[in-house]
Amino acid sequence: SIEKAFNTPIDGRLTKYEYQGKVYTVAELSRLSNVPYPTLYRRLVLSNWPVDKALNYIEIQTERSNEEE
């Protein structure tokens, strides 16, 4: 059916994710969370992270101190 064609995922692009009781696409979650789409796609679709982790994961980068100074 036409409805099935529009709702069948192709390479994860139409996969929907539940978050806080509502259903969203990766693009919608990206816009709502300000997490860049490629980052969110990689986390949700390619790495299969839970939605909460994908949206709230913070990478902490530490600076290496110069011990010679």
Side-chain angles (χ1 to χ4, degrees):
S1 74
I2 293 174
E3 182 177 342
K4 183 178 179 183
F6 280 111
N7 291 309
T8 300
I10 300 171
D11 297 331
R13 289 179 285 184
L14 295 177
T15 301
K16 306 227 177 177
Y17 297 89
E18 186 173 339
Y19 181 66
Q20 295 183 343
K22 295 184 181 178
V23 179
Y24 300 97
T25 63
V26 176
E28 291 168 332
L29 286 170
S30 175
R31 283 192 296 273
L32 291 169
S33 66
N34 292 320
V35 175
Y37 178 88
T39 300
L40 201 52
Y41 181 89
R42 185 173 56 251
R43 291 175 182 175
L44 291 171
V45 178
L46 301 180
S47 298
N48 202 30
W49 285 19
V51 176
D52 283 336
K53 180 181 177 184
L55 294 176
N56 297 307
Y57 183 78
I58 299 172
E59 291 185 42
I60 299 173
Q61 297 188 8
T62 59
E63 293 183 34
R64 291 186 179 183
S65 61
N66 274 338
E67 295 177 9
E68 296 177 19
E69 289 182 24

